[in-house]
Amino acid sequence: ILDEPLFRLHTWHGEEWMHLAVVACGDRLEETMTMLKSVLLFSLSKIKIHIFAEDFLQPQFKKSIKAWPFAFKSRVDYNIYPITFSAGKPQEWKKLFKPCAAQRLFLPMILKDVDSLLYVDTDVLFLRPVDDIWYFLNLFNSTQLAAMAPEHEIPRIGWYSRFARHPYYGAAGVNSGVMLMNLTRIRNQLFKNSMIPTGLRWEELLYPLYHKYKNDITWGDQDLLNIIFHYNPEYLYMFPCQWNYRPDHCMYGSNCRGAEDQGVSILHGNRGVYHDDKQPAFKVVYEAIRDFPFEENLFQALYFPLQNNFLKTVHTLCGRLPQVFLKQIEQTMRKEYEHRVIRGV
């Protein structure tokens, strides 16, 4: 669904902006900049980037963004924010799962003037325009206010269905590494919960929810989101798995049919696979985008080296289906070439 026809729906939207948020702490500068590079290479519309980062990283982000070519910077606006938690005790939130990960829970309260937002983890790579996932906002029904992909396609071998000690969404839970949000609806909605019989606003819900389940959660803020949408399933739109494709979808055998049919749209290299040799199929995509010289020919300097290096991964379960990783990025490059060169856009 939403493969070939979707891209053609997008044109330059004048003063309309897409909004993207990412939270970076520790040693995630390079990873975050590579993610943003994948955004710049393929997106068509203008985009505002909201970067939440530890103090020592903020000047490094500014320096890296300043080095982008003007042709790319002209389509981008950005803001850099400190890490802040507006409810409960900041030190407790900082210790939840990984440092700063819980920041995403507070985006509706911090970005009060933003209507809709795409949040992604730092280890995400876009293999097609952000415009295409942004379009899913148009598919929300009257109650849906966020979209995520399943944590697993097969409940009997999924983490939540086997090990979770708390409520979770659906049969196998959801993964929060790619999360599309209508922030206006989130701010205005009342959320059913297991603590009081009446609903709670988002900002009223977070800390009591954390306090109730803090001894039962393993994956931090993702678990809290699973609990929230367990009690409010009508508020969630589900992405197909190719929009948040992780090693779990291929390391034990292929279990994302959408990626087999259409190719990966968004690659999520969790488990640190961009930086070790456990899943070389993920690593070669990351390194190809990281090392691509801005303003070089996409096919010659990005796709062909990626294609050649990918041949070295076909001995692995994730690498044995090259079209899963390469199909969408090749189609995107062809359409980008047509859009920007042939049409002169």
Side-chain angles (χ1 to χ4, degrees):
I1 63 172
L2 297 177
D3 186 34
E4 287 298 322
L6 185 56
F7 191 100
R8 293 196 293 268
L9 291 172
H10 293 288
T11 56
W12 189 266
H13 294 304
E15 293 305 312
E16 293 182 22
W17 293 80
M18 300 180 294
H19 289 261
L20 177 79
V22 64
V23 179
C25 290
D27 59 354
R28 297 301 181 103
L29 176 69
E30 179 197 275
E31 202 172 76
T32 307
M33 292 307 300
T34 304
M35 179 275 291
L36 294 176
K37 192 176 187 180
S38 74
V39 171
L40 292 177
L41 290 177
F42 304 131
S43 296
L44 301 175
S45 301
K46 297 188 292 185
I47 187 163
K48 289 192 177 182
I49 300 169
H50 305 271
I51 301 171
F52 292 80
E54 289 180 293
D55 293 346
F56 80 94
L57 282 175
Q58 293 179 23
Q60 298 178 58
F61 273 114
K62 291 177 183 177
K63 180 179 179 181
S64 298
I65 292 172
K66 193 173 290 187
W68 285 344
F70 174 77
F72 292 95
K73 285 193 290 188
S74 63
R75 294 188 290 113
V76 171
D77 189 14
Y78 76 95
N79 287 303
I80 299 176
Y81 310 82
I83 302 297
T84 53
F85 304 101
S86 57
K89 300 176 182 178
Q91 291 307 315
E92 288 186 275
W93 290 116
K94 287 180 180 178
K95 292 186 291 185
L96 183 63
F97 188 45
K98 294 181 180 178
C100 309
Q103 180 70 76
R104 85 184 83 181
L105 297 174
F106 295 87
L107 298 179
M109 289 94 84
I110 297 171
L111 302 175
K112 294 180 180 179
D113 297 326
V114 176
D115 176 68
S116 296
L117 179 77
L118 176 63
Y119 165 86
V120 294
D121 285 349
T122 61
D123 52 8
V124 156
L125 293 171
F126 292 86
L127 305 187
R128 66 189 291 176
V130 177
D131 309 58
D132 290 351
I133 191 169
W134 192 256
Y135 181 77
F136 279 105
L137 287 165
N138 298 317
L139 304 183
F140 284 14
N141 65 25
S142 60
T143 64
Q144 290 164 340
L145 47 75
M148 287 184 277
E151 172 65 22
H152 211 286
E153 297 300 299
I154 306 173
R156 63 182 172 82
I157 59 175
W159 193 91
Y160 282 106
S161 48
R162 290 186 296 162
F163 304 118
R165 296 177 294 167
H166 57 78
Y168 55 88
Y169 177 87
V174 287
N175 184 280
S176 61
V178 179
M179 185 176 179
L180 186 63
M181 295 178 276
N182 184 317
L183 297 183
T184 300
R185 289 187 179 184
I186 291 174
R187 285 187 288 261
N188 293 337
Q189 193 55 264
L190 290 173
F191 291 83
K192 296 185 290 292
N193 59 87
S194 61
M195 296 171 290
I196 63 172
T198 57
L200 288 170
R201 300 283 183 189
W202 186 264
E203 66 269 22
E204 301 168 334
L205 177 66
L206 295 178
Y207 189 66
L209 196 71
Y210 160 73
H211 202 265
K212 177 174 180 176
Y213 290 102
K214 63 181 180 180
N215 294 323
D216 296 322
I217 56 178
T218 302
W219 308 112
D221 53 307
Q222 177 173 291
D223 290 347
L224 293 179
L225 289 167
N226 266 280
I227 296 167
I228 291 170
F229 289 108
H230 169 85
Y231 290 105
N232 301 273
E234 70 277 15
Y235 294 169
L236 191 63
Y237 180 97
M238 293 299 290
F239 290 137
C241 51
Q242 65 267 30
W243 295 91
N244 186 350
Y245 190 88
R246 286 160 278 123
D248 303 75
H249 289 119
C250 56
M251 61 192 293
Y252 305 117
S254 181
N255 61 57
C256 178
R257 183 63 182 271
E260 292 180 30
D261 294 342
Q262 300 176 12
V264 173
S265 294
I266 294 180
L267 195 69
H268 185 180
N270 63 345
R271 302 176 181 266
V273 294
Y274 295 149
H275 312 293
D276 60 31
D277 297 317
K278 293 179 180 178
Q279 299 295 340
F282 283 75
K283 188 176 183 180
V284 297
V285 178
Y286 174 81
E287 291 181 343
I289 294 174
R290 182 195 65 191
D291 298 339
F292 171 72
F294 270 121
E295 298 185 313
E296 291 290 318
N297 181 280
L298 280 169
F299 274 102
Q300 292 179 353
L302 178 56
Y303 184 74
F304 293 140
L306 171 58
Q307 191 178 43
N308 290 334
N309 287 331
F310 207 90
L311 293 175
K312 302 171 186 175
T313 76
V314 295
H315 64 285
T316 67
L317 281 173
C318 287
R320 69 187 176 91
L321 297 173
Q323 69 273 20
V324 168
F325 288 79
L326 302 179
K327 180 178 182 179
Q328 194 58 241
I329 195 169
E330 180 184 9
Q331 291 180 355
T332 296
M333 287 182 181
R334 291 188 186 280
K335 291 166 183 170
E336 285 292 288
Y337 178 80
E338 178 185 350
H339 185 80
R340 290 190 176 143
V341 178
I342 297 177
R343 297 180 188 173
V345 178

